[in-house]
Amino acid sequence: MHNKSVAELSRELESGKISSVELTREFLGRLKKEDEQLNSFISITEEQALADAHAADEQRAAGRATPWTGVPFAHKDIFCTNGVATTCGSKMLANFVPPYDATVTANFRKAGAVCLGKTNMDEFAMGSSTESSYFGATTNPWGLSKGEKRVPGGSSGGSAAAVAARLVPAATATDTGGSIRQPAALCGVTGLKPTYGRVSRYGMIAFASSLDQGGTIARSAEDNALMLNVMAGFDPKDSTSIDREVPDYTATLNEPLKGLRIGLPKEYFTGNLSAAMEEQVRSAIREYEKLGATVKEVSLPHADLAIAAYYVIAPAEASANLSRFDGARYGYRCEDPKDLLDMYTRTRAEGFGAEVKRRILVGTYALSAGYFDAYYLKAQKVRRLIQQDFINAFSEVDVLMSPTTPSPAFIQGEKTSDPVTMYLEDVFTIAINLAGVPAMSVPAGFVDGLPVGLQIIGDYFSEARLLNAAHQFQQVTDWHQREPQ
Ligand code: GLN
């Protein structure tokens, strides 16, 4: 059962071959056993899951099922879950039990899906390796059979590792600079970051509000489409949510790709990309040519400014967003504060980890009087130029393709001493968030036994086309079905 896709499990439940209670028991048993090696979950909500599975079986029996009714999945621990701890990977929120659901959480609940627990992540989604979690690092299932402990990527490393290891068929995730696509690539699974504004941010703990976007991780493009069907849509509770019709993302998966115009951004095929990685990506693109697509080189001339602009804008927004964690209303509070100032300062000194503090310091500096024009305002102008690069590219081609990451999963601890080498993990993903366009990572081969991701980038609101392109590729390749030992 654990090797089946969401689409297949849904059909088995519908035919009555298996009940949601049986399925949920099987996944919970596997999860509790296998996750000791991976640490991909922060919490497992066994009792709630079994109760939801019972309810789902009743819904099916009553003929009121959606495709998700009774299907197990997991939420990244950044989405608020009513009555269930939501930590964001931080000591600051280790004791936080939200009194409400995020819109994404509520949508899955309404669809009848069965949440098995909350997945591990970098603290406050800041990172590319899931090593900064207060609850310990997550290990990538790839490499374990050789005795290697590799990172699953981050910040949604728990979701990606859990899906790769078949602990859940699907998991929610978020992406501010690459946090869905980079872990999906490093774990050999399929992930989608939708257009900014497509999925509600209500109840999704904020890191950098103008960049954060909720999205999907599963093994196949089809399962990503099933997830997005539940997640996408206008939400009056999120002021940046966009009121625009939501298509059925599964309806166009089988469209032929003949005539699809693919652009290869030349700036994404240089620098620190290894020859072996490049060969895997180019051979994936040749598959697309066989499917009838045309390929040409395009340019994103401001690509090399993306990391610098992001590491001003994202920390600036983070420094403002994280000012709410002060020990006054919820979350961690230091012991025996002497006075109010002592409570604020010690709570924040003790509650936040090193990377989060680094971002708050950088962001506060960039926003401070006298530096605002030189850093924050300048970065926003660069952001506009980066956005224009994508607008120009999409006047010539339908999608862009590139590697998702410059290299495969690295060994734990390899990049923790130098933050800048960690930041460079996102060199091919970050500009997409600055522009706000959607992008996917799709399994496209292996280098030294480790998965390689193909990134497919689309114009605003072209999620259906991206999913179609990924699905067609997955009809002629089986990289997404490879299972780590
Ligand atoms: N790795 C990037 C960062 O650390 C992006 C993280 C994310 O997308 N949440 O900020």
Side-chain angles (χ1 to χ4, degrees), residues 174-201:
T174 62
D175 192 313
T176 304
S179 277
I180 290 175
R181 292 159 285 155
Q182 185 256 9
L186 269 43
C187 291
V189 296
T190 307
L192 166 66
K193 180 205 90 78
T195 307
Y196 182 79
R198 180 79 289 192
V199 169
S200 171
R201 292 182 300 108

Side-chain angles (χ1 to χ4, degrees), residues 125-128 154-155 174-179 207 310-311 359 426:
M126 297 169 187
S128 301
S155 65
T174 62
D175 192 313
T176 304
S179 277
F207 160 13
Y310 174 91
Y311 278 100
R359 308 280 177 116
D426 296 319

Side-chain angles (χ1 to χ4, degrees), residues 24 131 188 227 354:
T24 301
E131 289 169 291
M227 292 184 83

